[in-house]
């Protein structure tokens, strides 16, 4: 069961270890949407987080979707 806690407009700092098949390192993401995943990888719970990547100086970049571990967004995970 999912217990996802994230506010739209929040900035998430997502480590590569919390992403499914990351193509780059850690990412800062300004959240515009969250979707549950039905076709998730085995033995894990995953959530699609949608938003704009942020540059190191905080400017909004391209819109993207990142598949993250549900525990990153849970009430027991890091504070948001």
């Amino acid at each position: 069961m999912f217990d996802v806690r994230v506010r739209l407009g929040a900035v998430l700092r997502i480590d590569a270890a919390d992403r499914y098949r990351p193509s780059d390192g850690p990412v800062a993401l300004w959240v515009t949407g969250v979707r549950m995943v039905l076709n998730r990888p085995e033995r894990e719970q995953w959530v699609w987080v949608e938003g704009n990547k942020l540059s190191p100086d905080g400017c909004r970049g391209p819109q993207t979707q990142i598949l993250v571990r549900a525990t990153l967004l849970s009430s027991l995970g890091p504070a948001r």
Side-chain angles (χ1 to χ4, degrees):
M1 184 59 124
F2 290 98
D3 180 11
V4 174
R5 310 272 173 112
V6 64
R7 291 184 304 273
L8 298 183
V11 174
L12 295 179
R13 308 237 182 265
I14 306 169
D15 292 328
D18 290 319
R19 298 169 55 190
Y20 184 69
R21 295 188 181 173
S23 60
D24 52 3
V27 171
L29 187 74
W30 184 71
V31 179
T32 60
V34 177
R35 293 186 292 128
M36 299 301 145
V37 178
L38 295 177
N39 58 338
R40 63 185 177 267
E42 295 297 318
R43 297 179 308 277
E44 298 282 346
Q45 292 184 333
W46 297 84
V47 176
W48 280 109
V49 180
E50 303 171 352
N52 294 91
K53 285 186 176 182
L54 298 177
S55 65
D57 63 358
C59 292
R60 288 187 200 163
Q63 180 78 15
T64 190
Q65 297 177 351
I66 299 174
L67 191 58
V68 300
R69 295 179 192 282
T71 55
L72 181 70
L73 308 176
S74 75
S75 61
L76 301 176
R80 300 283 167 252

